Amino acid sequence: MNELSSVALMTEQDRQISEVIAEERPRLRNFIRKRIPNEADVEDLLQEVFYELVEANRLLMPIEHVTGWLFRVARNRITDFFRKKTPQAFSDSEIEDEHGELLQIEDVLPSPDAGPEALYVRSVLLDELEFALDDLPAEQREVFIAHELEGRSFKELSEESGVSINTLLSRKRYAVLHLRERLQTVHDEFLKK
C-alpha cells in the first residue's frame, strides 16, 4: 500500500469513527447517566469509551458489532468507576519530604483552627498546589495523582496502562521536581514567616 492510499484509508476510518460517535453519543450518554449521578463523571466515562474505540481502531482490532461493543465498554467503565475506592480527601493525602519521610498534607498546612489568617494561607496553598498540578504534563500529573493522592501502586498503574514501572517512576519523579520548584516561592512566602 502506498502512502497516498494509506492516508485515504486513515481519513475514511476517521470519518467512520466520527459517524459512529455522533450516532451513538446520545444513547451512550443516557445509558451512563442512568447509572452515574454526576454529569462531569458521565462525560468523562463517555470520553473514555470513545477513546477506547479510537484506540481499538488504531490497533486494527476487529469489532463486529460496534454498538454492542461500545455499550459493553461503557458497562465495564461504569463497573470500574464504582470499584475504585472512595476518593480520598485531598487534605488526607500523604506526601514525602526531602528525606523521603511520609508526611500528610495536613502536616505542612496551617491548622484551620488557627484563625482567619491561617485559614486564608491554607486556602492559598491548596489552590497553588492545584494550579501546579494543572501545569504538569498530563502523563506526569496522572501518575502523581494516582500514586500520591489515590494511593495506587506503580504495579497496578503499569498493568492498567501498559506503561513500564520504570517509566511511571520517572514521570512521578519529574512531577515531584516540578511541584517542589513551582511551590517553593509560595512555601517560603507563607510558611517561613
Side-chain angles (χ1 to χ4, degrees), residues 13-121:
Q13 289 172 336
D14 291 346
R15 185 189 62 73
Q16 289 173 347
I17 287 177
S18 294
E19 286 176 5
V20 167
I21 290 172
E23 184 178 319
E24 299 297 338
R25 180 181 292 273
R27 287 180 45 209
L28 271 172
R29 179 182 281 121
N30 288 337
F31 177 79
I32 296 169
R33 188 180 288 137
K34 287 178 183 176
R35 292 152 180 83
I36 305 290
N38 182 308
E39 190 61 35
D41 292 332
V42 169
E43 197 57 38
D44 287 347
L45 290 173
L46 188 60
Q47 293 305 316
E48 287 180 29
V49 171
F50 289 133
Y51 174 78
E52 285 200 36
L53 175 64
V54 170
E55 280 298 297
N57 183 58
R58 187 179 67 78
L59 298 172
L60 303 175
M61 290 174 49
I63 301 173
E64 291 184 32
H65 304 286
V66 175
T67 301
W69 185 88
L70 286 170
F71 279 88
R72 187 171 57 251
V73 171
R75 201 171 6 267
N76 291 343
R77 290 302 133 254
I78 291 166
T79 301
D80 291 347
F81 178 83
F82 285 114
R83 275 189 190 150
K84 288 181 183 174
K85 64 182 180 181
T86 306
Q88 190 174 21
F90 191 70
S91 60
D92 294 337
S93 299
E94 296 178 324
I95 58 174
E96 291 179 6
D97 67 7
E98 61 272 4
H99 305 294
E101 294 179 23
L102 229 44
L103 295 174
Q104 291 194 341
I105 289 180
E106 289 298 319
D107 294 336
V108 296
L109 292 174
S111 168
D113 303 327
E117 185 178 339
L119 201 54
Y120 169 74
V121 170

